[in-house]
Amino acid sequence: MTLLTILVLLFGTGLIATGLFYHLKRRTLNSDPILIATCYVWGGVNIAVCIL
């Protein structure tokens, strides 16, 4: 794996982790559902790019 692939994979994992954090704390933080969905989608896209 190249360094760029590893960085994109880590960025995607970080986005999914951020989405999960805001999803679990959505009531206390009054999180926007669009923010949560965007984190999940773009994290998944980044990981999918690394797999392909």
Side-chain angles (χ1 to χ4, degrees):
M1 291 186 128
T2 65
L3 180 63
L4 182 62
T5 305
I6 293 170
L7 290 175
V8 171
L9 184 64
L10 288 174
F11 184 68
T13 305
L15 281 172
I16 290 177
T18 302
L20 184 63
F21 172 78
Y22 280 110
H23 186 89
L24 294 174
K25 300 280 185 172
R26 71 180 174 267
R27 292 196 180 149
T28 57
L29 297 175
N30 292 326
S31 299
D32 184 24
I34 295 173
L35 168 74
I36 296 168
T38 303
C39 286
Y40 286 146
V41 168
W42 283 110
V45 167
N46 282 325
I47 292 173
V49 165
C50 289
I51 291 172
L52 297 176

